[in-house]
Each structure stands twice: as C-alpha cells, then as structure tokens.
Amino acid sequence: MADRRLQVFHAVAKHGSFTRAAEHLHMTQPAVTFQIKQLEEHFDTRLLDRGHGKISLTPAGELVLAYAERILGLSAELDSRVSELTDELAGQIKIGTSTTIAAYWLPHILEGFKRRYPRVLPRVVVGNSKLTEDAVAARDLDIGLIEIVTEQHAIERRSAARDELFVICSPDNPLAAFKSLRAKDLVGHPFIDRDPGNGIRQIADEFFEAAGIAGSEITLCAEIGSLATIKHLAAAGLGFAIASKRAIQRDLEDGRLVAIALEPRIYTPLEVILPRDKFRSRLITAFADFACEEFARMADRDSAA
C-alpha cells in the first residue's frame, strides 16, 4: 500500500545506486529515475545529489528517508496483520542463506514450507555466511540461515542443529589411508580452502589455530566459494578440503571422494538469524520455527544414518 515513489527512493538511498536499486526492485533504470523525479517534484526540492559517480542524500533527502522507513515498515506490518486475519499465511519473505545450506538443506525446507503454505512467496539470496549475517543486521533480509555463530547485537539467533565436518579427498590421496586426522597430519598437504567470510573456513581456521598451526604452515592450493568446484578439485586429486557431512553424501556413495573424521571432531552450526527488535510477522516467525525444526530433523536423520 505504500507510495511506490517512496519505495523506489528508499531502495536508491539504501543501495546508493540507481542501477542496483532497479535490479533490487525488478524495474528498469529509467523507471527508477522517473519515480525519483516525481518525488522531487512533489516536494519541490532535490533529494539526491548526483556527482562523480556517487549518490548522496541532501538534508531534505535525509528527512524523507527517515519517514520513508517508518511508512514502509508500517505498510508491511499492516499487510501482514490483515493477511493474518484470514488464518492463512501469505506474502513475501526475504531469506538469505549460505551456499552450502542453499544447496543441501534449503530445498527440503522450502518444499515442506510451500506445501504447508502455498500462498507464501520466498525470495532467496545466496551468499556466504558473513554476507548473509550483515544483510540481516541491516534489515535487508527478513531471515538468514547461516553456518557461523553471530555476535552482532542487531541480530537474534536460534541454534537449530549442527553438522559434522570431515576432510575430503580423492581415494588415491595419501590422506585417504587415515582413519582420523589431526591438524598436524594435514600440514604439507595441498589445502583447498573456502572464500573469506565462509562459515566453514572460519571453523577450519580455528581448528588449525587450536592445534598451534599458523596459517603460513598450511599449503594453500586454492580459495573457492563454490563447494561444487571444491569437491571437483578434491576428487581430481589436487588436494584436500573440509566439508560438512550432508554436503558430501552423494559423492561418498559414488566413490568420487572419501571422508576422514577430524580429531578432535568439529562441527558447523546451523543457525537461524533474524533482525532484533524488528516488527516480526506471523509469517517470519512461522518460517523461523519451521526451519529450526527441519534443520534438527534432517541432522538427526543424518546422524542416525
């Protein structure tokens, strides 16, 4: 119900770019420019300064942004409260998720939730855990599913479950002969690491640090954000990697990879995070509850297997 001009202005101000705002709103850039022009004509003042490739808010723009955030928040709350009166969850929910969760956990969570609430429209953004955490803290996302334990004050976290981490490598790799591996056993072997900000990378760093092994002692083979690429390189014999149990089950069954337990055992947390003190609709609460339940159910099933 909120004024479309305010929605567009809010997006431009938040993203600092007409182009990124257009992408976020699924609009053309000329359409975004037109909406901003109309809003400025309405207030008879300039709201944005455009110069040197950057966009900044004028004093009037700062004031309009403050009110726009309040108006848009109230509009979303109104829509949600009215839809809740029908006793059927509906509407859009913006979900952020890490790449591993997106590939191996989220499909089952979304399938179950959509079957229960078919009128809900999930919009999913995939990135590493740190990017997702920051987007939830900035309230650009309604909810996040990540693999790190956040300490940001702006975030409320729910620990849903955990997944054990293993060393993975090709069956021909010398490490494949071990029944378990300590950190010092991995020194000198090429390591295929995750990208900075990835939750599993953070846990792996802590595993080596706890054993007194400096980063300079690790033979780094590559830093890659794609788990599929990491598994491909490991299966091809280029090095070892560290991955969660659920992400490697099919590869183990096919014989492409072997998994060796770490000593001491380490786990990746599966966390559901929400903006703290933000108005929370029944839809967001229902999805958070459902995601926690599904994480726990799938983790228990994997452990039993």
Side-chain angles (χ1 to χ4, degrees):
M1 285 186 61
D3 190 315
R4 183 62 168 170
R5 295 171 300 177
L6 285 180
Q7 293 175 331
V8 172
F9 173 75
H10 181 264
V12 172
K14 293 288 284 185
H15 291 279
S17 162
F18 280 75
T19 301
R20 288 197 293 272
E23 293 172 352
H24 175 75
L25 296 169
H26 306 288
M27 297 172 64
T28 64
Q29 188 169 329
V32 168
T33 302
F34 176 74
Q35 293 286 345
I36 296 298
K37 183 173 181 292
Q38 281 203 324
L39 191 62
E40 290 182 325
E41 289 177 352
H42 173 80
F43 289 114
D44 193 26
T45 187
R46 193 173 69 255
L47 302 177
L48 299 169
D49 281 329
R50 310 160 181 83
H52 306 292
K54 295 183 179 179
I55 292 175
S56 59
L57 294 171
T58 65
E62 295 277 3
L63 180 64
V64 171
L65 177 61
Y67 275 92
E69 289 182 338
R70 292 164 61 184
I71 292 167
L72 294 174
L74 285 171
S75 178
E77 181 176 344
L78 173 61
D79 290 344
S80 178
R81 287 292 173 89
V82 171
S83 68
E84 287 174 4
L85 291 176
T86 67
D87 204 31
E88 181 181 357
L89 290 182
Q92 175 183 303
I93 181 169
K94 294 178 289 184
I95 305 163
T97 174
S98 70
T99 52
T100 299
I101 290 176
Y104 301 100
W105 301 84
L106 186 63
H108 301 281
I109 293 172
L110 285 184
E111 178 189 356
F113 197 74
K114 282 289 291 182
R115 289 189 185 281
R116 186 176 296 184
Y117 305 111
R119 294 181 58 205
V120 171
L121 175 62
R123 293 193 181 277
V124 178
V125 178
V126 179
N128 64 41
S129 289
K130 180 58 178 172
L131 291 174
T132 301
E133 176 190 25
D134 290 342
V136 171
R139 303 188 179 189
D140 293 329
L141 295 169
D142 296 318
I143 192 166
L145 310 176
I146 61 174
E147 299 168 274
I148 56 177
V149 175
T150 180
E151 296 180 355
Q152 291 202 41
H153 177 71
I155 288 177
E156 174 188 322
R157 54 177 284 257
R158 301 186 188 182
S159 297
R162 64 180 190 173
D163 196 11
E164 187 171 0
L165 297 178
F166 291 84
V167 164
I168 59 170
C169 61
S170 73
D172 298 327
N173 191 301
L175 294 174
F178 285 76
K179 290 185 177 180
S180 64
L181 289 161
R182 294 165 296 178
K184 68 177 184 179
D185 298 324
L186 300 171
V187 173
H189 294 271
F191 178 37
I192 307 166
D193 204 358
R194 304 297 183 90
D195 57 319
N198 183 283
I200 291 179
R201 175 180 174 130
Q202 178 178 316
I203 296 168
D205 288 346
E206 292 169 355
F207 174 73
F208 287 116
E209 288 171 8
I213 296 172
S216 58
E217 297 180 68
I218 305 299
T219 305
L220 189 63
C221 172
E223 289 183 348
I224 300 174
S226 165
L227 180 56
T229 302
I230 288 172
K231 292 195 294 183
H232 177 84
L233 294 182
L238 272 69
F240 77 92
I242 294 177
S244 61
K245 181 177 181 179
R246 188 170 186 84
I248 58 176
Q249 289 174 345
R250 179 63 60 85
D251 304 277
L252 300 181
E253 293 169 3
D254 293 343
R256 296 178 60 248
L257 292 170
V258 296
I260 307 98
L262 288 161
E263 185 183 328
R265 291 189 169 190
I266 58 175
Y267 299 84
T268 178
L270 300 170
E271 300 273 313
V272 176
I273 59 173
L274 307 106
R276 188 181 297 278
D277 299 331
K278 181 178 185 291
F279 161 74
R280 193 165 300 156
S281 68
R282 191 161 62 93
L283 169 56
I284 295 172
T285 299
F287 185 84
D289 292 343
F290 186 85
C292 287
E293 292 167 4
E294 286 299 288
F295 270 138
R297 182 186 65 79
M298 288 187 282
D300 287 344
R301 187 179 63 189
D302 291 347
S303 296

